[in-house]
């Protein structure tokens, strides 16, 4: 099979197509024939070598989110069979490229996968696991027992877009920050109010809670009132403790049950996602350039 490896840290030219051994499904694993793999900012960070825990020595495979079908089944797997369409998330924070999703075939633990519902496009499905699970877990960290007002930064993006939708589903009044003249899309996600990217968020508050999906750090936390909470998706500087604002860092962890529910909602049209472009896996370097250039409305998905 072929895959796209990070052969050297640095620019997109460090991504190279390589012939690799076909993976073998071990106990509790299946081999997935990958049809779609999402290009995530985390892939770019890994390629550059700026990730938690330090850079992964090349060569390695990037790629968190994959959709495809089961090619082979290993011992002790009872709930998946050859030919089953699946979508899932490689916990790349643990595998660190062994495996990664930028390949024709990937050996994955069965617990990393959920069924891909009929009618749900593989490319669209591949945009959801990392982003939707992060949004779901970020909202859980806020521990909001009752509906309240919630600010979401980066609601034009993957995590922010899912966070805005899930918060609105739960009855929260969502103030969603839009970028790239994207107010119409963000407004359609259930936001009560769409806020411009250039707005002073301190003037928006005080609000009880913020999901800072960009993250903006202090600029977003300025909207939180005393006793409130902010969740960020990457580390940000500590807040002044005298403000009385709880600060949480959301680092993704794989959770199969909510992943299956989120994928089901996506298939049923209860959650929305966007694919800005699909490109062959062999053009991964160009896909990275496209993502790094910015201004996209949706995700770039590689197809194999």
């Amino acid at each position: 099979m072929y895959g796209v490896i990070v052969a050297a840290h640095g620019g997109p030219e460090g991504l190279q197509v390589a012939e690799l051994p076909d993976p073998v499904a071990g106990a509790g694993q299946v081999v997935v024939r990958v049809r779609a793999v999402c290009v995530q900012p985390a892939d770019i960070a890994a390629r550059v070598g700026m990730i938690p825990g330090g850079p992964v020595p090349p060569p390695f495979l990037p790629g968190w989110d994959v959709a495809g079908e089961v090619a082979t089944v290993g011992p002790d797997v009872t709930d998946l069979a050859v030919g089953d369409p699946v979508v899932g998330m490689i916990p790349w924070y643990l595998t660190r490229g062994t495996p990664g999703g930028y390949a024709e075939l990937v050996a994955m633990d069965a617990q990393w996968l959920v069924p891909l519902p009929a009618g749900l496009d593989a490319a669209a499905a591949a945009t959801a696991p990392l982003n939707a699970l992060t949004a779901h877990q970020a909202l859980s960290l806020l521990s909001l027992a009752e509906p309240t007002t919630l600010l979401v930064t980066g609601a034009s993006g993957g995590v922010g877009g899912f966070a805005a939708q899930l918060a609105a589903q739960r009855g929260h009044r969502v103030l969603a920050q839009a970028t790239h003249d994207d107010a119409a899309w963000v407004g359609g996600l259930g936001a009560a109010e769409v806020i411009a990217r250039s707005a002073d968020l301190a003037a928006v508050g005080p609000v009880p809670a913020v999901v800072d999906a960009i993250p903006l750090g202090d600029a977003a936390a300025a909207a939180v009132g005393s006793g409130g909470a902010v969740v960020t998706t990457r580390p940000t500087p500590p807040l002044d403790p005298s403000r009385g604002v709880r600060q949480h860092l959301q680092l993704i962890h794989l959770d199969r049950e909510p992943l299956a529910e989120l994928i089901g909602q996506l298939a049923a049209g209860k959650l929305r996602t966007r694919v800005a472009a699909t490109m062959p896996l062999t053009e991964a370097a160009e896909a990275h350039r496209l993502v790094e250039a910015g201004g996209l409305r949706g995700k770039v998905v590689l197809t194999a």
Side-chain angles (χ1 to χ4, degrees):
M1 71 160 191
Y2 73 89
V4 176
I5 61 170
V6 173
H9 291 135
E13 66 279 1
L15 291 168
Q16 296 183 7
V17 179
E19 285 294 324
L20 302 170
D22 285 359
V24 176
Q29 291 187 324
V30 299
V31 171
V32 175
R33 185 171 301 280
V34 176
R35 299 302 182 189
V37 54
C38 188
V39 177
Q40 296 285 8
D43 299 335
I44 293 170
R47 189 202 77 216
V48 173
M50 298 182 64
I51 57 172
V56 178
F60 61 85
L61 287 163
W64 293 65
D65 302 314
V66 300
E69 64 267 353
V70 175
T72 61
V73 177
D76 305 323
V77 175
T78 58
D79 57 346
L80 292 173
V82 172
D84 284 352
V86 289
V87 58
M89 188 188 87
I90 296 169
W92 209 95
Y93 55 93
L94 297 176
T95 73
R96 293 172 70 82
T98 311
Y102 284 26
E104 285 185 290
L105 298 167
V106 181
M108 299 178 64
D109 288 5
Q111 293 301 309
W112 300 351
L113 296 160
V114 299
L116 176 64
L120 180 57
D121 177 69
T127 68
L130 176 58
N131 292 326
L133 264 181
T134 297
H136 166 79
Q137 291 168 2
L139 289 170
S140 297
L141 272 179
L142 289 171
S143 301
L144 302 174
E146 300 291 337
T148 188
T149 299
L150 181 75
L151 170 65
V152 178
T153 71
S156 296
V159 174
F162 281 117
Q165 294 177 81
L166 293 170
Q169 284 182 9
R170 297 171 192 185
H172 300 301
R173 180 175 179 268
V174 178
L175 312 179
Q177 190 185 48
T179 59
H180 311 307
D181 300 320
D182 225 2
W185 166 261
V186 173
L189 301 181
E193 183 179 341
V194 179
I195 300 168
R197 176 69 173 82
S198 58
D200 178 5
L201 296 180
V204 172
V207 297
V210 172
V211 174
D212 187 12
I214 294 179
L216 297 174
D218 286 344
V224 186
S226 179
V230 58
V231 176
T232 61
T233 54
R234 290 196 304 277
T236 55
L239 300 176
D240 181 350
S242 67
R243 291 190 53 205
V245 173
R246 291 181 289 115
Q247 187 176 15
H248 302 285
L249 172 62
Q250 168 53 37
L251 296 178
I252 186 71
H253 59 274
L254 187 62
D255 195 339
R256 193 185 195 192
E257 186 174 343
L259 175 59
E261 181 179 344
L262 292 162
I263 293 296
Q265 288 195 46
L266 191 64
K270 296 178 181 179
L271 286 176
R272 300 170 67 190
T273 189
R274 294 188 293 184
V275 175
T278 58
M279 304 174 69
L281 177 60
T282 52
E283 296 180 16
E286 184 58 33
H288 275 225
R289 292 186 184 96
L290 187 62
V291 172
E292 287 182 289
L296 297 172
R297 295 187 175 184
K299 292 290 187 179
V300 175
V301 177
L302 300 170
T303 57

